[in-house]
């Protein structure tokens, strides 16, 4: 009887603590939807992970100087039903990426649209 009581107590405690940990997520507050940017670049790496998948890509500025950028997507769990896999973007892929730039001015964006070099749009969750 004691074992059952301890198991039930542990399950209830875990359940009650779960919402608290979920509320710690930062969301998209670091990005300004008024600062939309579209960049053409080359994928350096793609991280199909949680809580946010990340695209690292290289862009040439108007002086032909290389710039490293990072774009955040929603989680791998939310991208997978849209057909995404860990190989949806690979190093060397040419892409056009649109998103909301970080308010801090660093070269980071919340991705809202990705086009491959052949013009095909990769489907994103509406709540990236």
């Amino acid at each position: 009887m004691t074992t059952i009581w301890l198991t039930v107590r542990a399950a209830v405690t875990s359940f009650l603590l779960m919402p608290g940990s979920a509320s710690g997520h930062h969301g998209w507050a670091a990005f300004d939807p008024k600062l939309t940017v579209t960049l053409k670049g080359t994928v350096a790496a793609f991280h199909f992970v949680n809580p946010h998948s990340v695209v690292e890509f290289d862009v040439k500025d108007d002086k032909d100087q290389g710039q490293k950028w990072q774009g955040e997507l929603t989680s791998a769990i939310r991208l997978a039903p849209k057909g995404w896999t860990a190989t949806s973007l690979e190093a060397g892929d040419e892409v056009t990426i649109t998103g909301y730039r970080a308010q801090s001015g660093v070269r980071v964006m919340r991705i809202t649209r990705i086009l491959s070099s052949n013009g095909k749009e990769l489907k994103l969750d509406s709540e990236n």
Side-chain angles (χ1 to χ4, degrees):
M1 184 69 171
T2 303
T3 304
I4 293 171
W5 171 246
L6 289 175
T7 303
V8 169
R9 188 173 171 186
V12 169
T13 301
S14 297
F15 179 75
L16 292 174
L17 291 177
M18 201 178 322
S21 63
S23 67
H25 183 264
H26 67 83
W28 298 112
F31 303 98
D32 187 345
K34 295 177 193 145
L35 297 175
T36 301
V37 62
T38 298
L39 302 168
K40 286 186 179 186
T42 305
V43 174
F46 175 53
H47 309 281
F48 190 61
V49 296
N50 295 309
H52 296 282
S53 293
V54 175
V55 181
E56 296 177 39
F57 59 107
D58 299 316
V59 175
K60 296 222 180 200
D61 66 13
D62 55 352
K63 296 179 183 173
D64 211 31
Q65 299 294 314
Q67 296 180 342
K68 297 210 176 283
W69 277 80
Q70 180 174 304
E72 287 190 19
L73 296 159
T74 190
S75 66
I77 290 171
R78 293 185 74 159
L79 289 172
K82 303 286 184 189
W84 284 74
T85 68
T87 59
S88 290
L89 293 171
E90 296 183 324
D93 287 352
E94 298 292 325
V95 291
T96 301
I97 299 178
T98 301
Y100 305 137
R101 189 160 181 176
Q103 293 186 49
S104 66
V106 296
R107 293 184 186 123
V108 177
M109 69 166 63
R110 171 188 169 194
I111 298 174
T112 58
R113 186 172 192 216
I114 299 179
L115 294 173
S116 63
S117 59
N118 66 5
K120 180 182 174 193
E121 185 169 355
L122 298 169
K123 292 186 183 247
L124 298 177
D125 192 290
S126 61
E127 295 180 18
N128 288 26

